[in-house]
Amino acid sequence: EISTRDWSSDVCSSDLMIPPLCETDHAVATILFERNFIITEVPFFHKAWKNRTKDRSFGLWIGDDLIGFTIVHATKLEYICIEPSYQGKGWGSILLQYLLSVCPVLYLNPADDPALCTWYEKQGFQLSKEVKHSQWTERCYVHHTYYTRSKHV
């Protein structure tokens, strides 16, 4: 058994559940993280896990299998992760849209990957800041429910 909790207040459709992550989920989340990110990123994941905002960090479960998760600290989306065999099938969008329904104001600094940035834009994030370095581009995306005066960044 992965964890015991009261699922009654969580999103639940058939075998799909999106509950807040709990301490007993750390080991399985670490395995999932290591399948998706380079090994040098693991210490940052552990720090983000320790500092996560518990009511804004969720696991995406199908039955007893954790297939994705979000790690949020305050209003920063530190990580979103989907099991590689489930990627490209809409699970990341389901998880992110659920997170945004709970926490509509978020920001993030995505990897320097144009396809990933396009995906965040399709999810309603807007580019707030972009800094070009010699070999990569640093970006900050924001999601909020209010209008700003600027037309674009």
Side-chain angles (χ1 to χ4, degrees):
E1 184 173 61
I2 295 173
S3 63
T4 57
R5 19 178 160 179
D6 176 15
W7 300 102
S8 59
S9 64
D10 302 313
V11 170
C12 184
S13 173
S14 181
D15 287 342
L16 171 68
M17 295 173 280
I18 308 177
L21 291 166
C22 60
E23 288 307 315
T24 56
D25 300 330
H26 184 249
V28 68
T30 299
I31 292 167
L32 182 54
F33 185 87
E34 290 173 348
R35 291 181 185 153
N36 282 277
F37 293 89
I38 59 175
I39 196 72
T40 56
E41 194 71 17
V42 172
F44 299 104
F45 165 73
H46 290 302
K47 181 179 180 185
W49 177 276
K50 180 181 177 187
N51 296 323
R52 76 190 186 283
T53 303
K54 293 181 181 176
D55 64 347
R56 295 179 177 186
S57 299
F58 296 96
L60 176 60
W61 297 83
I62 296 181
D64 290 334
D65 298 323
L66 180 68
I67 67 159
F69 64 81
T70 61
I71 303 290
V72 175
H73 179 255
T75 58
K76 182 179 183 187
L77 176 58
E78 297 281 357
Y79 293 102
I80 184 167
C81 182
I82 298 293
E83 167 67 40
S85 64
Y86 286 85
Q87 291 178 6
K89 299 175 182 172
W91 294 109
S93 297
I94 289 169
L95 180 58
L96 185 56
Q97 290 304 312
Y98 178 75
L99 173 63
L100 292 171
S101 75
V102 173
C103 182
V105 177
L106 284 176
Y107 76 97
L108 59 94
N109 301 105
D112 189 18
D113 177 348
L116 182 61
C117 293
T118 298
W119 182 76
Y120 281 117
E121 290 169 4
K122 286 180 182 177
Q123 301 301 319
F125 283 82
Q126 297 176 343
L127 181 63
S128 171
K129 179 181 176 184
E130 185 174 73
V131 178
K132 295 188 186 262
H133 300 277
S134 61
Q135 298 191 2
W136 62 288
T137 302
E138 177 183 4
R139 295 177 181 89
C140 179
Y141 279 86
V142 295
H143 184 279
H144 49 73
T145 56
Y146 52 88
Y147 294 103
T148 62
R149 292 181 290 182
S150 63
K151 291 184 179 179
H152 36 98
V153 188

